[in-house]
Amino acid sequence: MGDAVQLKEEGNKHFQAGQIDNAIDCYTKAIKSCKDKSVLAVIFRNRSACYLKKENYNNAASDASRAIDIDAKDIKALYRRCQALEKLGKLDMAFKDVQRCATLEPKNKTFLETLRRLGADIQQKVRFLWTAQVQNMFDILLSEELDSDKKEKAANNLIVLAREDAGAERIFQNNGVPLLLQLIETGKPEMVLAAVRTLSGMCTGHKARVSDHNGPVMHGVVHVGVQIVLATGNLFQCVYDALTGADKRDYGKEEALVMGLKKILKVCGQIPDLPDQLPLTENTQLIASVLLNKLYDDLRCDPERDNFRDICDEYIKGSFDPNDMDKNIHAINTLSGLLQGPFDVGNALVGKQGVMEMIVALCGSEREIDQLVAIEAIIHASTKMSRASFMITNGVSLLKDIYKKTKNDKIKIRALVGLCKLGSAGGDDYSMRQFAEGSTEKLAKQCRKWLCNPSIDARTRKWAVEGLAYLTNDADVKDDFVEDEAAMRAMFELAKSPDKTILYAVACILVNCTNSYEKKEIIPEMVQLAKFSKQHVPEQHPKDKKDFIERRVKRLLKGGVISALAVMVNADSTLLTDQTKEMLSRVFLALSEDPKDRGTIVAQGGGKALIPLSLEGTEKGKAKASHALAKIAAISNPEIAFPGERIYEVVRPLVNLLQSDKEGIENYEALRGLTNLSALSEKLRVKIIKEKSLPEIENYMFEENDQIRQAATECMCNLVVCKDVQERYMEDGNDKLKLLVLLCSEDDEKLQIAAAGGLAMLTAAQKKLCTKVTLVTVQWLEILQRLCLHDNPNIQHRGIVIAYNMMCAGEELAKKLIESELLEILSVVAKLEDQPRKQPAIDAARTCLSKALDLGLIKPFS
């Protein structure tokens, strides 16, 4: 070891002196003699720097990668690999490395500048690829040699490309129009049709393009054929719209003119109880809100978002009419749709002059439909606490008045939900209750009463669930709800109904009841500081303590929550938003906390439901679902929990939990789950390896945490039967085998069993490893003898099997073993009387002595 460190220091001196070849020689010698993993990483990193100087970028990247394999957070190695990859033209990979560097050191100017530069280079490369792609399509279309299938495919690709603004711009900038005219001039119907449709996509909304090439285009498209005539008519319409301003986009200017936005807003504003409305399903308006949210999220810059807001503002204001109440409620219902979609857009409109006044006026209307629409708008506008405080001042008295006076249950329940929402504005902070003691419980009781009333229509009962979604922030309400089995079952039945707009509200209730929402870590010192400075300190409700939460979980499981969750997960993906998926994942994780409950989860379809949640949605949601899967896979029979091919779908979520940014408990549970899976079949072991899990599992075998290290070693013990894993242990220049040997000497018996089992299987499968064991550490013989002497018969059996494997590997190695104290140990064990507990070890010892006898290393007693 001393030689390796000395050689490294000499290499450093040569490098600083500019003697790069000498430095490489020193580092190479150091690598061959180095046994310390952390020092080895530094040497590889330093040699990588030398290769960068020599412009040998392949070797530079390779050495940096080997350093990163040892330490994934080696920031110097990451940056050197980034530099090498950039020179090799692998910009995407280089970008990922420097991105990782910038994450580890966010204020490092070098990393940030490299990140910006590589980003620009990648964009330039993409632009170049676009150009090449467009040119390639035209080459295929104009070729006389290529077959018609390839030409048809190229034509379709060109049409699709032209429909996207970026694609149309690439075609336009790369001499596309003259090439399209060449296609028209061929006179071949399929070429003409492709050219006309491509031109339509390019002309849509771009006056400058039409103006530059109007004449030649109009002259070239005169052609016979029904499809071509229709396509040409569409092209004329696009040209006309662009020239007359019917389509107001200007070429070269990025705008957020969202196609169909006003039509979506119109759908949001529909009120089924009024005449002449569009035909809708129960889910249509929620889908429209989700679509609005998606459109808004996908906008790329502030001007586009401003334009989106302006269109919405103009639409709603344009709908207000003092003489037509139907138009007014259409405008307010549209606002409700925005508040359920891009909330910031809707929230900004609520604050506009005249909007709140219109809502108040509708609340005071004698028409029940006006009151319904106004109350729903108040409910949706109270989502954020800042807006709720405004509503408490202005809306509570209004809602209370409506609640007391109206005899219509539909209005009454919505007014109640509004009061529920405003009453829960403080969240789970016990000290921030908005209403008097006991008020929230009374509101919740009324909601549960309506929820359980089958004579009330499902749409109205859905609002009772909405009310409980807010009120269950209060722990008293949570406890009352889970004790009311009828209310729970009524909610679960609604969740299974065709109306899936209720999913989010049900998910909220379940998250609140299981306390599985995100919790801020409370640091006692900070609490004291806040109190001293007279700042508000959140207080936990007494019924939000662990024993109360556990009792609520048991009640939910008894009430049939798993089957309801399974139905919710299988809902239409449009309605099951990523946020809802995350909440369902949180609930599943909370429900699977107690190992005794996991069988119930599996029996009621929870295992199947968790798989899609672990693969789709937010990163947190996927991690929570994967963690729940790991808990189930760790202690259940996976073939029962995940029958058929489904068992293979569980592997990737568990492997994803091995990433270094995950919590230690997630790493541990995932390793246990993978251990259980890898014990089942070769096909599963191959699947685990293909998911690139081995480096992570090997890293966790070095982990300081005893439980994680044990779980990783147990998992590796099951995987070593695979040829791919055996080859990794046979490779030179790593400490994998040494680590396994050293783990056999640990005090933890479970860890010893796993490490010795892995070593026994490796030495049985690969004779070369038997010799390598003697080279990795001078302590190997002492460790082997301790295994063979161990009081635990499982460990002793594994140790004696390792000894037998080594004896079978070669006469010289067998002689070394027999000449040591191991012969005496084996003799003592072999002479023991037969006994069930130690029989495997006794039999193995007798087999070892027979082998030594066969080799002529010992002689039988006369």
Side-chain angles (χ1 to χ4, degrees):
M1 186 59 220
D3 291 343
V5 173
Q6 188 176 347
L7 284 164
K8 176 176 78 75
E9 296 301 330
E10 286 179 20
N12 292 349
K13 289 176 184 176
H14 285 308
F15 182 81
Q16 289 164 5
Q19 299 163 350
I20 306 301
D21 290 332
N22 292 340
I24 290 173
D25 288 342
C26 288
Y27 291 141
T28 304
K29 290 175 185 175
I31 286 166
K32 290 177 181 177
S33 62
C34 183
K35 303 297 181 186
D36 186 298
K37 213 170 181 78
S38 58
V39 174
L40 191 63
V42 175
I43 299 170
F44 274 123
R45 185 177 74 199
N46 291 356
R47 194 170 72 171
S48 175
C50 293
Y51 284 131
L52 280 174
K53 290 280 187 184
K54 297 282 289 181
E55 298 184 7
N56 187 340
Y57 300 120
N58 279 313
N59 282 357
S62 175
D63 273 2
S65 294
R66 294 173 80 172
I68 294 163
D69 286 343
I70 297 169
D71 180 4
K73 293 183 179 179
D74 188 332
I75 201 161
K76 289 184 179 178
L78 280 164
Y79 190 64
R80 282 170 193 166
R81 186 168 72 177
C82 163
Q83 292 174 300
L85 290 170
E86 183 184 0
K87 294 293 184 181
L88 291 168
K90 299 176 181 178
L91 300 183
D92 290 354
M93 295 167 70
F95 185 82
K96 286 180 183 177
D97 278 346
V98 76
Q99 201 171 34
R100 178 76 174 137
C101 292
T103 303
L104 294 169
E105 286 187 16
K107 295 183 180 179
N108 188 306
K109 291 182 180 178
T110 302
F111 297 156
L112 295 175
E113 174 57 30
T114 306
L115 196 64
R116 184 201 62 74
R117 177 171 50 76
L118 283 176
D121 289 347
I122 290 169
Q123 289 296 322
Q124 182 63 35
K125 185 178 178 181
V126 169
R127 283 194 289 272
F128 174 78
L129 290 173
W130 270 100
T131 304
Q133 187 181 8
V134 171
Q135 187 59 51
N136 183 48
M137 287 178 200
F138 279 115
D139 289 343
I140 293 169
L141 290 168
L142 294 169
S143 171
E144 295 293 334
E145 299 171 1
L146 294 174
D147 58 55
S148 58
D149 288 344
K150 286 186 178 179
K151 290 188 176 184
E152 185 180 350
K153 188 176 180 182
N156 289 333
N157 287 341
L158 204 61
I159 294 164
V160 171
L161 201 62
R163 287 175 186 161
E164 297 287 338
D165 193 55
E169 181 60 15
R170 293 286 161 237
I171 297 171
F172 186 81
Q173 294 288 356
N174 290 285
N175 201 35
V177 175
L179 289 168
L180 288 169
L181 292 176
Q182 284 184 45
L183 288 181
I184 293 170
E185 288 165 5
T186 63
K188 296 177 181 177
E190 65 276 9
M191 297 293 108
V192 175
L193 187 62
V196 172
R197 286 177 174 171
T198 303
L199 285 165
S200 294
M202 292 171 63
C203 291
T204 302
H206 287 273
K207 185 176 180 180
R209 292 180 193 161
V210 177
S211 301
D212 287 352
H213 295 279
N214 187 22
V217 171
M218 293 307 100
H219 174 73
V221 296
V222 180
H223 203 281
V224 180
V226 176
Q227 282 189 307
I228 295 173
V229 168
L230 291 172
T232 306
N234 183 56
L235 174 57
F236 277 124
Q237 184 66 54
C238 293
V239 170
Y240 175 79
D241 287 347
L243 290 173
T244 59
D247 188 335
K248 297 179 180 178
R249 286 189 297 176
D250 289 328
Y251 160 68
K253 183 179 180 183
E254 293 291 337
E255 296 181 353
L257 186 58
V258 182
M259 299 302 294
L261 177 55
K262 290 187 178 180
K263 290 183 180 178
I264 301 170
L265 292 171
K266 183 177 180 180
V267 171
C268 284
Q270 296 300 293
I271 300 155
D273 295 337
L274 293 181
D276 302 323
Q277 300 294 294
L278 297 173
L280 307 174
T281 68
E282 293 167 323
N283 300 324
T284 304
Q285 285 174 301
L286 181 59
I287 292 171
S289 294
V290 171
L291 179 56
L292 285 171
N293 193 53
K294 177 66 176 168
L295 287 170
Y296 187 70
D297 283 347
D298 286 347
L299 298 178
R300 295 164 293 179
C301 57
D302 287 342
E304 289 186 347
R305 285 184 278 273
D306 290 341
N307 196 36
F308 185 101
R309 285 191 286 266
D310 290 344
I311 292 170
C312 295
D313 187 18
E314 181 187 336
Y315 183 87
I316 289 174
K317 281 188 175 177
S319 299
F320 284 150
D321 186 342
N323 301 315
D324 190 340
M325 198 57 83
D326 285 357
K327 284 189 175 180
N328 293 331
I329 61 173
H330 174 80
I332 297 302
N333 212 39
T334 305
L335 179 61
S336 289
L338 284 165
L339 289 164
Q340 292 175 83
F343 179 83
D344 291 339
V345 176
N347 200 30
L349 293 174
V350 171
K352 295 276 185 177
Q353 187 176 359
V355 175
M356 269 310 300
E357 289 82 353
M358 180 56 70
I359 292 173
V360 172
L362 290 173
C363 284
S365 170
E366 293 181 2
R367 282 206 312 176
E368 290 179 344
I369 188 65
D370 297 345
Q371 294 179 28
L372 278 173
V373 171
I375 292 167
E376 288 184 16
I378 291 174
I379 291 168
H380 296 310
S382 306
T383 298
K384 297 287 176 74
M385 191 174 170
S386 59
R387 179 56 59 191
S389 60
F390 172 81
M391 288 292 177
I392 287 169
T393 307
N394 298 275
V396 171
S397 57
L398 199 64
L399 291 172
K400 280 183 178 178
D401 192 49
I402 293 172
Y403 180 72
K404 288 174 183 176
K405 289 180 180 178
T406 187
K407 293 179 181 179
N408 184 317
D409 277 345
K410 291 183 178 180
I411 295 173
K412 204 175 189 73
I413 198 167
R414 284 164 174 77
L416 178 65
V417 171
L419 290 169
C420 292
K421 193 166 186 179
L422 297 171
S424 64
D428 67 343
D429 185 351
Y430 187 52
S431 64
M432 289 285 285
R433 287 185 163 197
Q434 300 290 337
F435 296 149
E437 187 78 29
S439 295
T440 49
E441 290 94 316
K442 288 178 184 177
L443 291 172
K445 186 176 180 181
Q446 185 59 57
C447 282
R448 296 202 310 274
K449 182 179 174 183
W450 271 318
L451 178 59
C452 296
N453 187 347
S455 63
I456 298 175
D457 65 278
R459 191 167 177 225
T460 304
R461 287 164 64 210
K462 182 187 78 175
W463 282 100
V465 178
E466 290 274 354
L468 288 168
Y470 303 116
L471 292 175
T472 46
N473 278 307
D474 187 303
D476 287 318
V477 175
K478 299 177 198 181
D479 260 29
D480 291 344
F481 178 72
V482 297
E483 292 298 326
D484 188 340
E485 194 168 328
M488 266 199 300
R489 291 190 183 279
M491 183 183 77
F492 295 153
E493 287 306 312
L494 277 177
K496 296 174 186 178
S497 70
D499 182 2
K500 298 303 178 187
T501 58
I502 199 174
L503 293 181
Y504 184 79
V506 174
C508 285
I509 292 172
L510 295 175
V511 164
N512 290 337
C513 288
T514 56
N515 282 50
S516 51
Y517 41 75
E518 199 76 43
K519 302 177 188 73
K520 289 183 180 178
E521 184 183 358
I522 297 174
I523 303 169
E525 292 81 3
M526 294 302 292
V527 171
Q528 293 301 320
L529 186 62
K531 286 180 178 177
F532 180 75
S533 58
K534 296 182 179 179
Q535 297 294 314
H536 170 69
V537 179
E539 293 178 22
Q540 185 186 44
H541 194 292
K543 289 185 179 179
D544 271 333
K545 291 180 179 175
K546 189 177 179 181
D547 53 338
F548 284 94
I549 297 169
E550 288 173 354
R551 191 155 55 241
R552 290 199 291 268
V553 165
K554 301 292 182 187
R555 295 290 300 176
L556 286 168
L557 286 166
K558 186 180 176 183
V561 66
I562 299 298
S563 58
L565 286 169
V567 172
M568 291 166 73
V569 170
N570 291 325
D572 183 346
S573 59
T574 311
L575 296 170
L576 196 65
T577 62
D578 286 350
Q579 192 176 1
T580 307
K581 288 177 189 173
E582 181 181 326
M583 290 196 291
L584 296 179
S585 299
R586 289 177 179 277
V587 174
F588 265 120
L589 183 57
L591 295 172
S592 61
E593 196 63 40
D594 187 345
K596 295 175 185 176
D597 296 328
R598 294 173 198 170
T600 305
I601 294 170
V602 169
Q604 296 180 9
K608 178 184 176 182
L610 277 165
I611 293 172
L613 290 176
S614 67
L615 298 172
E616 300 169 0
T618 65
E619 289 304 315
K620 280 187 180 178
K622 289 189 288 188
K624 300 289 182 188
S626 299
H627 193 184
L629 274 176
K631 284 178 177 289
I632 292 169
I635 66 165
S636 309
N637 180 342
E639 291 175 309
I640 296 173
F642 315 105
E645 293 298 308
R646 198 172 296 138
I647 195 168
Y648 300 102
E649 297 177 45
V650 178
V651 173
R652 180 171 296 171
L654 300 195
V655 172
N656 288 340
L657 284 183
L658 298 181
Q659 294 169 9
S660 57
D661 60 340
K662 298 293 187 287
E663 298 285 336
I665 185 64
E666 293 174 326
N667 302 148
Y668 172 67
E669 302 272 21
L671 287 165
R672 289 186 66 209
L674 289 169
T675 301
N676 211 0
L677 291 172
S678 59
L680 290 177
S681 69
E682 179 67 13
K683 192 175 176 183
L684 268 170
R685 287 188 284 272
V686 169
K687 173 69 174 171
I688 292 169
I689 293 166
K690 279 186 176 178
E691 291 294 338
K692 301 179 180 177
S693 61
L694 286 179
E696 301 292 349
I697 296 170
E698 288 165 353
N699 283 341
Y700 287 120
M701 289 173 71
F702 288 93
E703 176 66 44
E704 291 180 9
N705 182 289
D706 292 339
Q707 288 182 303
I708 294 177
R709 184 171 51 172
Q710 176 199 319
T713 308
E714 288 174 348
C715 188
M716 186 58 72
C717 178
N718 286 346
L719 293 172
V720 292
V721 295
C722 292
K723 279 280 179 67
D724 289 346
V725 181
Q726 292 166 14
E727 287 171 5
R728 288 173 73 90
Y729 275 89
M730 292 173 70
E731 290 172 0
D732 293 326
N734 66 66
D735 289 336
K736 294 179 178 65
L737 190 63
K738 179 181 179 180
L739 174 64
L740 205 56
V741 174
L742 293 175
L743 289 176
C744 290
S745 65
E746 290 288 327
D747 294 331
D748 186 322
E749 289 192 0
K750 288 183 178 178
L751 180 59
Q752 275 187 296
I753 289 172
L759 192 58
M761 285 189 281
L762 281 170
T763 50
Q766 300 289 344
K767 290 185 178 181
K768 289 182 181 178
L769 288 175
C770 295
T771 306
K772 192 174 179 182
V773 166
T774 66
L775 303 174
V776 292
T777 173
V778 294
Q779 299 171 294
W780 71 271
L781 188 55
E782 180 189 341
I783 292 169
L784 182 59
Q785 290 169 352
R786 284 173 62 190
L787 289 176
C788 295
L789 278 169
H790 208 286
D791 294 335
N792 187 318
N794 291 318
I795 296 173
Q796 186 180 42
H797 176 228
R798 285 160 173 76
I800 296 172
V801 169
I802 295 167
Y804 174 75
N805 294 338
M806 295 178 77
M807 289 175 69
C808 293
E811 193 171 335
E812 187 179 335
L813 187 52
K815 186 178 179 183
K816 187 181 289 187
L817 291 173
I818 293 301
E819 288 175 350
S820 70
E821 293 176 8
L822 190 64
L823 176 60
E824 185 180 346
I825 296 167
L826 292 172
S827 300
V828 170
V829 177
K831 288 177 184 177
L832 291 173
E833 292 184 8
D834 289 356
Q835 48 184 295
R837 185 167 173 267
K838 287 197 169 187
Q839 199 60 44
I842 294 168
D843 291 343
R846 291 170 182 171
T847 307
C848 282
L849 293 176
S850 296
K851 183 67 180 176
L853 196 63
D854 293 343
L855 292 170
L857 299 174
I858 60 173
K859 294 180 180 179
F861 288 110
S862 57

